[in-house]
Amino acid sequence: MDYKKLLADTVILQDVESSEIEPLITVPKDPAMGDYCLPCFKFAKEMKKSPMALAQEIVSRIGAYNFLEKAEAVGGYVNFTLNKKMVASRVVEQVLTEGIGYGRSEEGAGKTVCIDFSSVNIAKPFHMGHLLNTSIGGALCRIYRSLGYKVVGINHLGDWGTQFGKLIVAYKKWGSREDVDSRGVKALFDIYVRYHKEAEEDPSLDDEARAWFKKIEDGNEEALSLFGYFKEVTMKEVERVYKRLNVTFDSYAGESFYNDKMQPVLDELEEKGLLELSEGAKVVRFEGDKMPPCLLVRSDGATLYATRDLAAAVYRKNTYDFYKCLYVVAYQQNLHFQQIFEVLRLMGKPWAADMVHVAHGMVSLQDGALSSRGGRVVFVEDVLNTAVSKAGKIIAEKNPDLKDRDKIAEQVGVGATIFAMLFNSRIKDMVFDYDKVLNFDGETGPYVQYTYARCCSLLEKCVSEGDDFDDEGIANPEAYALVKALEKYPESVRLAGEKYEPSIVARQVVDIAQAFNKFYFEHNIKDAAPAVRNARLALVGATRQVIESGLTLLGISAPQRM
Ligand code: ARG
């Protein structure tokens, strides 16, 4: 229901179209001021009247409408209070008829959004930073799909670079197939860390590493087979985590995919006179040196991360003709993406304006910062396992007879972890604290899941009788606050897409859960008169639906019992 439009039409002002009034109508912060308000200051100034007098004048001219309970003039504002019963029954009915479709839209029909996210590095740990990234990217993929966009989820694998020469040297010196087969990336990471320590003492290792990387480039069989093995080991582990996180990709075109796609881009840069020689290297310089130059070819002829990203951008535009291309990557890479986007702009690509760096912050555990240097790093899989085992303990205490306890512990533990990644604005750094994210009474995944299970069990235990429906049952302040929270859900999904901010959905779902629990504690459902109970059960059903839709968008399971 477009209440702003309806309300704008009730306002009669000489020489003012309702289309000028509509955008001024907002939702007051304090619900006691009504559902909507119209500030009269702008019109009052134009009409040389006092805002208070104008508000009163407007109110005196508003006729009777069945959707409007009252309109009041308060200090230069017109406050509108809607007919609560009507709003409540409409929202509930809409949610129940649209079901999973409530909150979806077609705004993106015919448009493609590329979302580059997770983008893990071969032979490197899947650490907490990637968890944040993967959770945000996965949620954005689902949010955009629900808004009607075609989404291409891209895992721009870090599968190229001189570090693979180093890893081969390390593996040949200190690694073993047995160890890597059993400990996976942890084994690879250990020897990689060891390499860096030893290379400080013995720089000749770096020459060996360079030689091995050259062999990879030249297609040497042994080098390729080792490289392939590292990739396989990494992907096996990473896929295991993706499965638990409910995340999938449409493309795994990683850095190595662009090996043969960089030259044409470099040629184009050369033709356009953008490539400059600088001590043997090739760079693009920016006007007034507003940013450091973007290094694209090193003096030894090697290409870089940035070179591959340029080629990838051009490839994505040609292949998917995207409407937008998002990069969900930590803010440490701000400069990198500013450079890439600016180089594309200088190349005269109008679509450079459609590239967005969706930057996010850092995650640390309570006991200190995480870094992948020096080997101190926290693996996502370990964090998930810990969260699941802690969730299992809490569930065992709360509900000892629960069936499928392991499965539900997995859903709650993993759900709590993802929820924690998505609840804060993405740009903020965060400290991950198991007790906090698993708190069943906090602004957490388990709290929302628990509320969902409560809705499910209510609907199982109380059945509606007859078709009598007393709207009064859902027009009390607690029910109405819940209705308003449900009503806001579609807009929060739309905004989350517009701002690349899944936290807007996560927060809305928490608001709904909180409003539901207030309603539930204040108002009896089971023993209410049948018509009132029917109305309240419908509201419970609508709440269950919207929480489920919201959790699904975030990539979190909604167990019916817990
Ligand atoms: N693999 C990179 C890293 O872990 C992230 C890649 C992001 N995507 C991109 N197209 N540059 O830092």
Side-chain angles (χ1 to χ4, degrees):
M1 246 305 118
D2 196 349
Y3 289 110
K4 287 189 186 174
K5 185 163 187 315
L6 282 178
L7 291 171
D9 285 337
T10 69
V11 174
I12 301 162
L13 267 181
Q14 215 181 356
D15 299 328
V16 181
E17 297 287 327
S18 75
S19 59
E20 291 171 63
I21 297 170
E22 195 187 322
L24 295 175
I25 296 181
T26 57
V27 176
K29 290 229 161 56
D30 178 3
M33 304 308 265
D35 297 281
Y36 293 95
C37 64
L38 171 68
C40 300
F41 308 95
K42 176 172 167 262
F43 297 126
K45 198 169 171 198
E46 285 166 9
M47 296 172 187
K48 303 205 165 59
K49 289 185 182 171
S50 92
M52 300 225 246
L54 185 63
Q56 252 143 19
E57 207 177 296
I58 290 174
V59 166
S60 71
R61 282 198 220 114
I62 291 177
Y65 296 87
N66 58 2
F67 67 88
L68 193 60
E69 190 180 299
K70 61 176 182 200
E72 283 177 314
V74 179
Y77 289 84
V78 178
N79 291 345
F80 298 97
T81 302
L82 300 177
N83 175 337
K84 294 191 175 46
K85 287 199 219 172
M86 203 166 113
V87 173
S89 58
R90 265 201 193 147
V91 169
V92 169
E93 190 188 310
Q94 193 190 349
V95 174
L96 293 178
T97 37
E98 292 180 11
I100 189 80
Y102 181 72
R104 292 202 180 159
S105 84
E106 287 304 318
E107 72 160 61
K111 293 177 182 154
T112 298
V113 176
C114 290
I115 306 185
D116 177 324
F117 73 108
S118 195
S119 303
V120 289
N121 301 311
I122 299 306
K124 289 253 186 81
F126 193 140
H127 58 75
M128 287 300 275
H130 283 122
L131 178 62
L132 181 55
N133 184 296
T134 307
S135 307
I136 295 172
L140 286 177
C141 287
R142 287 180 291 261
I143 288 169
Y144 273 97
R145 280 196 189 104
S146 85
L147 295 172
Y149 294 87
K150 182 174 184 299
V151 171
V152 187
I154 304 172
N155 199 325
H156 186 80
L157 293 178
D159 62 357
W160 197 250
T162 46
Q163 71 268 29
F164 295 105
K166 298 178 185 172
L167 192 62
I168 293 182
V169 173
Y171 180 74
K172 286 176 117 4
K173 287 201 192 304
W174 312 295
S176 80
R177 181 114 194 172
E178 215 189 337
D179 189 27
V180 174
D181 279 344
S182 74
R183 292 199 307 126
V185 173
K186 282 182 179 158
L188 291 176
F189 187 57
D190 283 348
I191 55 171
Y192 187 68
V193 170
R194 175 156 179 196
Y195 174 96
H196 281 277
K197 277 201 195 107
E198 306 239 357
E200 271 172 34
E201 308 289 309
D202 177 6
S204 77
L205 285 178
D206 285 341
D207 298 329
E208 274 183 65
R210 254 189 297 279
W212 273 107
F213 182 62
K214 180 104 187 21
K215 284 189 190 174
I216 298 180
E217 287 186 300
D218 296 343
N220 168 285
E221 208 176 306
E222 186 188 359
L224 283 187
S225 120
L226 280 171
F227 182 43
Y229 172 58
F230 300 152
K231 199 161 165 172
E232 196 187 302
V233 169
T234 311
M235 289 320 289
K236 209 170 99 195
E237 275 184 46
V238 166
E239 295 281 358
R240 212 160 56 213
V241 174
Y242 288 152
K243 213 164 154 212
R244 294 177 81 179
L245 298 177
N246 282 313
V247 160
T248 54
F249 295 90
D250 303 287
S251 161
Y252 276 98
E255 294 190 37
S256 69
F257 178 77
Y258 300 100
N259 279 340
D260 61 354
K261 297 175 181 63
M262 288 177 279
Q263 198 50 52
V265 179
L266 290 168
D267 291 345
E268 188 179 336
L269 281 165
E270 194 102 55
E271 258 163 48
K272 294 186 169 154
L274 292 166
L275 223 45
E276 258 180 58
L277 267 177
S278 164
E279 297 167 31
K282 291 181 181 167
V283 303
V284 175
R285 278 185 204 287
F286 303 106
E287 201 185 305
D289 287 328
K290 62 179 174 186
M291 286 187 276
C294 181
L295 177 58
L296 292 174
V297 184
R298 275 206 311 243
S299 53
D300 63 2
T303 54
L304 292 103
Y305 180 53
T307 330
R308 283 184 281 281
D309 254 331
L310 275 183
V314 171
Y315 175 84
R316 288 173 193 174
K317 185 64 192 173
N318 291 340
T319 310
Y320 306 113
D321 192 23
F322 55 73
Y323 157 73
K324 271 186 186 167
C325 180
L326 313 184
Y327 296 83
V328 185
V329 185
Y331 61 63
Q332 281 98 330
Q333 297 193 29
N334 278 355
L335 175 63
H336 168 75
F337 286 107
Q338 278 163 14
Q339 289 176 320
I340 296 297
F341 300 168
E342 182 62 10
V343 172
L344 290 166
R345 198 185 66 82
L346 292 172
M347 287 171 84
K349 311 280 184 204
W351 48 267
D354 307 327
M355 322 276 285
V356 186
H357 176 202
V358 179
H360 64 77
M362 306 271 287
V363 192
S364 54
L365 286 201
Q366 256 198 320
D367 59 353
L370 302 183
S371 81
S372 57
R373 278 207 200 109
R376 220 183 90 69
V377 62
V378 179
F379 286 72
V380 169
E381 208 166 16
D382 296 337
V383 171
L384 293 181
N385 291 342
T386 308
V388 167
S389 98
K390 284 179 185 273
K393 284 197 191 109
I394 300 174
I395 294 169
E397 263 168 43
K398 285 193 188 270
N399 191 353
D401 304 322
L402 186 68
K403 271 191 273 159
D404 286 335
R405 204 152 75 197
D406 290 346
K407 186 176 160 206
I408 292 168
E410 168 78 16
Q411 292 176 322
V412 173
V414 173
T417 311
I418 299 177
F419 197 89
M421 296 297 125
L422 298 179
F423 186 70
N424 289 316
S425 313
R426 61 180 152 78
I427 200 68
K428 285 198 185 148
D429 289 340
M430 65 183 267
V431 179
F432 185 86
D433 172 348
Y434 289 105
D435 294 330
K436 217 166 144 193
V437 312
L438 283 165
N439 180 354
F440 277 45
D441 294 317
E443 293 171 315
T444 62
Y447 173 72
V448 176
Q449 287 173 319
Y450 197 71
T451 308
Y452 175 79
R454 175 171 277 159
C455 292
C456 292
S457 101
L458 265 169
L459 291 165
E460 230 171 74
K461 283 193 209 128
C462 317
V463 221
S464 346
E465 278 170 52
D467 314 317
D468 279 354
F469 196 91
D470 185 353
D471 306 333
E472 195 61 47
I474 52 175
N476 55 66
E478 292 76 23
Y480 195 60
L482 172 57
V483 164
K484 295 296 256 184
L486 296 174
E487 191 187 25
K488 248 174 99 180
Y489 174 76
E491 175 63 6
S492 66
V493 177
R494 196 195 62 74
L495 263 183
E498 186 185 293
K499 303 196 164 186
Y500 321 110
E501 190 67 86
S503 65
I504 297 176
V505 173
R507 282 169 187 269
Q508 190 59 33
V509 172
V510 166
D511 283 353
I512 291 170
Q514 287 173 342
F516 175 81
N517 288 315
K518 278 201 190 109
F519 162 69
Y520 172 79
F521 286 117
E522 291 287 330
H523 300 281
N524 195 305
I525 298 176
K526 214 166 112 246
D527 304 318
V532 170
R533 177 170 43 184
N534 287 351
R536 291 189 181 155
L537 282 176
L539 179 57
V540 176
T543 307
R544 175 179 66 173
Q545 176 62 61
V546 177
I547 292 183
E548 185 179 321
S549 304
L551 288 178
T552 306
L553 282 187
L554 302 176
I556 297 172
S557 313
Q560 309 221 337
R561 269 172 251 276
M562 61 187 266

